[in-house]
């Protein structure tokens, strides 16, 4: 039995997708190729997200404590070696592979491999971070907050926010 769904990621060619649950179960749809899962295995924290390696088609799962588990995707490191001050909430793959970002609820971003720009959101948050997406032009990402704000870092560009400021949540 799997737990609640916590993440979705497209296959490298966009003709399929993967879904993951908090227990680490992974399901593949369309042309997405299943590479394994953490379902039924002990993990360092609940799985909170996933990202697909664009070069291998494998994927990473990330837990709230910053542990990263790769399924046919190279390991570039994790934040679980030291206590993270705020829960990890999401991850994104570097657009050309060879790295990923882990985003924490407080806006801290951990970069591994070819991913760059750590911790760029400190002091600019109006609400807790809920997601991260990489920019296809490389070198940057967007952080989404619970109140609809979008913060851009590196070469990601700013395209607007969702006007939810009246419903801000405390960090």
């Amino acid at each position: 039995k799997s737990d609640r769904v916590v993440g979705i990621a497209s296959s490298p060619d966009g003709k399929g997708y993967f879904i993951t649950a908090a227990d680490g179960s992974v399901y593949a749809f369309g042309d997405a190729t299943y590479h394994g899962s953490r379902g039924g295995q002990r993990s360092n924290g609940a799985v909170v997200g996933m990202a697909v390696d664009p070069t291998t088609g494998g994927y990473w799962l990330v837990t709230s404590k910053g542990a990263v588990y790769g399924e046919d995707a190279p390991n570039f490191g994790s934040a679980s070696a030291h206590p993270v001050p705020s829960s990890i909430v999401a991850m994104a793959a570097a657009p050309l592979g060879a790295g990923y970002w882990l985003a924490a609820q407080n806006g801290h971003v951990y970069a591994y491999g070819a991913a760059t720009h750590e911790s760029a959101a400190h002091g600019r948050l109006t609400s807790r971070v809920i997601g991260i997406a990489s920019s296809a032009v490389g070198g940057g990402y967007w952080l989404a907050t619970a109140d609809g704000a979008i913060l851009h870092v590196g070469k990601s560009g700013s395209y607007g926010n969702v006007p939810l400021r009246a419903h801000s949540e405390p960090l």
Side-chain angles (χ1 to χ4, degrees), residues 8-20 26-36 50 52-53 56-59 72:
I8 185 169
S10 69
S11 61
D13 68 3
K15 295 180 181 176
Y17 54 89
F18 303 94
I19 293 176
T20 188
V26 174
Y27 305 91
F29 300 90
D31 77 346
T33 303
Y34 177 78
H35 294 274
M50 73 181 309
V52 174
D53 178 6
T56 68
Y59 39 84
D72 291 333

Side-chain angles (χ1 to χ4, degrees), residues 69-132:
Y69 299 98
E71 300 293 343
D72 291 333
N75 182 349
F76 296 107
S78 75
S80 64
H82 48 82
V84 291
S86 180
S87 294
I88 300 298
V89 295
M91 81 180 303
L96 301 177
Y100 44 79
W101 291 279
L102 308 181
Q105 183 173 294
N106 69 354
H108 189 97
V109 175
Y110 301 88
Y112 297 94
T116 59
H117 302 297
E118 284 194 7
S119 305
H122 285 301
R124 299 187 318 173
L125 293 177
T126 56
S127 183
R128 65 186 170 84
V129 169
I130 56 134
I132 185 170

